[in-house]
């Protein structure tokens, strides 16, 4: 066992966020906690913490993208052990799984995010930080201080710098994304349009009402917090193609892109997708550790 000072602040890069955690540790100038992780073929995980953690503050970094439940379970196991050993645990969850189930949309539904909050607390987590939580409503379900950092400014800056778009229009595919999209459009210095979305709560089918719009010959950027099945963006892209938009770029914070979502979006006429590395994927080009590190420097433990 390595010995450490009682006042040390350390970072544990969980198995779902190894690269992300290492980059974040470098930005913050923090040492990585030494842990041996073994994932068994039946999907169970064993952690062995290789150093004394009593009296330390630990940033436990673990994103909870699919497989969501396994990644959460690893987070709970690590948090419980570290807090039992006398460390102060601050969970940094770049993509917060279950954040979309932050209320009962239909009678009988479990408010899953409330359960996650309860489990984190039970495992000794004292503080939670995430990136672009699906809705601010979810923050109220957490009993400990919880903060959502936004990666929208760096996404807007990245697209402005790297893509030569002609008189772009920034599109919000639904009401829930309008605040983010407005912020994106302000930073980019572009016009902003909002679509209305309806999702059938039973079949999951998405319908978009684009209303009146004049995007003919103009480039567009659709902004959303996440792409899961791609149904939302596909429906929006189809409307934009019909309206003869020129280039269609999609900017999202969390590119889950489950199954063949990427291919389906390209088929629907999307030219490019730009996401952040809260979820590792082929489109994770923007580094969300930058805004996270800026925030975490302001938090004492
Ligand atoms: C919903 O309100 C979210 O902001 C996203 O638009 C949605 O969750 C994306 O899911 P999918 O890609 O399956 O449409």
């Amino acid at each position: 066992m390595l010995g450490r000072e009682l006042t040390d602040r350390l970072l544990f890069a969980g198995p779902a966020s190894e690269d992300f955690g290492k980059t974040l540790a470098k930005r913050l100038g923090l040492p990585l906690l030494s842990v041996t992780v073994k994932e068994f073929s039946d999907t169970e995980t064993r952690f062995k913490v290789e150093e004394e953690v009593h009296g330390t503050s630990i940033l436990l970094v673990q994103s909870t993208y699919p497989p969501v439940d396994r990644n959460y379970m690893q987070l709970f196991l690590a948090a419980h052990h570290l807090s039992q050993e006398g460390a102060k645990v601050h969970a940094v969850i770049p993509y917060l799984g279950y954040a979309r189930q932050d209320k009962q949309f239909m009678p009988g539904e479990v408010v899953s995010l409330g359960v996650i909050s309860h489990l984190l607390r039970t495992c000794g987590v004292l503080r939670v930080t995430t990136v672009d939580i699906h809705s601010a409503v979810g923050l109220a379900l957490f009993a400990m201080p919880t903060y959502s950092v936004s990666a929208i400014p760096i996404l807007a800056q990245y697209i402005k710098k790297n893509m030569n778009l002609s008189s772009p229009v920034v599109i919000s595919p639904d009401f829930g994304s309008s605040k983010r999209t407005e912020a994106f459009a302000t930073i980019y210095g572009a016009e902003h349009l909002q679509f209305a979305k309806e999702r059938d709560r039973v079949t999951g089918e998405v319908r978009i009402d684009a209303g009146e719009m004049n995007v003919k010959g103009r480039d567009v950027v659709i902004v959303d917090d996440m792409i899961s099945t791609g149904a939302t963006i596909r429906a929006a892209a189809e409307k934009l193609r019909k309206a003869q938009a020129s280039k269609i770029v999609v900017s999202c914070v969390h590119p889950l892109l489950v199954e063949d979502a990427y291919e389906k979006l390209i088929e629907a006429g999307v030219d490019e997708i730009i996401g952040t590395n809260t979820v590792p994927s082929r489109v994770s080009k923007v580094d969300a550790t930058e805004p996270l590190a800026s925030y975490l420097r302001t938090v004492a433990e």
Side-chain angles (χ1 to χ4, degrees):
M1 291 259 182
L2 298 169
R4 289 212 179 263
E5 294 298 316
L6 286 186
T7 51
D8 276 350
R9 195 183 194 200
L10 306 162
L11 187 144
F12 174 25
S17 297
E18 254 191 82
D19 292 344
F20 189 95
K22 283 179 185 161
T23 309
L24 186 61
K26 215 175 254 173
R27 282 191 191 275
L28 292 168
L30 295 180
L32 289 167
L33 180 71
S34 173
V35 181
T36 307
V37 181
K38 183 158 172 60
E39 291 182 14
F40 295 99
S41 31
D42 62 1
T43 75
E44 290 181 0
T45 306
R46 184 190 66 194
F47 290 110
K48 186 165 175 290
V49 178
E50 305 288 2
E51 53 187 309
E52 177 59 60
V53 294
H54 184 83
T56 61
S57 291
I58 296 179
L59 291 180
L60 169 51
V61 185
Q62 171 87 340
S63 200
T64 52
Y65 53 81
V68 177
D69 294 351
R70 192 206 55 185
N71 289 337
Y72 262 121
M73 192 62 201
Q74 291 178 337
L75 176 59
F76 299 142
L77 292 174
H80 187 265
H81 175 79
L82 295 171
S83 67
Q84 289 283 303
E85 290 294 305
K88 292 178 181 164
V89 181
H90 176 164
V92 178
I93 312 174
Y95 168 68
L96 186 72
Y98 285 112
R100 285 182 291 178
Q101 192 72 45
D102 56 9
K103 58 178 172 245
Q104 262 194 346
F105 296 93
M106 294 196 294
E109 279 181 352
V110 173
V111 181
S112 312
L113 191 61
V115 179
I116 295 295
S117 150
H118 177 73
L119 291 171
L120 287 169
R121 192 177 186 200
T122 305
C123 291
V125 171
L126 299 176
R127 184 182 280 275
V128 176
T129 300
T130 185
V131 181
D132 288 286
I133 189 168
H134 172 65
S135 156
V137 170
L139 294 174
L141 295 173
F142 287 81
M144 66 289 266
T146 300
Y147 189 76
S148 175
V149 168
S150 183
I152 291 295
I154 50 166
L155 275 167
Q157 284 150 11
Y158 179 93
I159 291 176
K160 188 158 189 164
K161 187 168 163 213
N162 294 287
M163 306 192 73
N164 195 16
L165 301 182
S166 143
S167 65
V169 186
V170 180
I171 311 276
S172 171
D174 54 29
F175 178 71
S177 233
S178 62
K179 281 271 167 281
R180 274 185 202 103
T181 310
E182 235 175 284
F184 187 108
T186 306
I187 294 161
Y188 198 106
E191 201 184 316
H192 162 232
L193 273 182
Q194 190 190 311
F195 290 175
K197 176 173 90 177
E198 246 181 73
R199 190 191 288 270
D200 185 313
R201 293 250 158 232
V202 179
T203 63
E205 197 195 325
V206 167
R207 237 176 296 140
I208 293 258
D209 177 2
E212 286 294 305
M213 62 174 158
N214 181 12
V215 293
K216 192 171 171 185
R218 294 178 74 180
D219 292 337
V220 296
V221 186
I222 309 173
V223 177
D224 211 348
D225 59 329
M226 62 192 289
I227 304 174
S228 181
T229 63
T232 301
I233 302 295
R234 212 163 59 234
E238 279 161 6
K239 294 281 179 190
L240 290 162
R241 273 282 161 253
K242 263 199 196 132
Q244 296 175 37
S246 185
K247 191 179 246 181
I248 301 179
V249 176
V250 177
S251 167
C252 77
V253 180
H254 311 295
L256 299 179
L257 293 169
V258 297
E259 293 168 4
D260 54 353
Y262 178 87
E263 287 74 18
K264 282 188 180 153
L265 291 179
I266 300 300
E267 259 169 44
V270 168
D271 293 288
E272 183 131 13
I273 305 170
I274 309 284
T276 82
N277 57 352
T278 58
V279 178
S281 78
R282 64 206 285 182
V283 305
S284 303
K285 297 180 180 147
V286 174
D287 185 4
T289 64
E290 189 190 319
L292 255 180
S294 304
Y295 169 70
L296 292 169
R297 278 189 207 103
T298 69
V299 180
E301 49 190 32

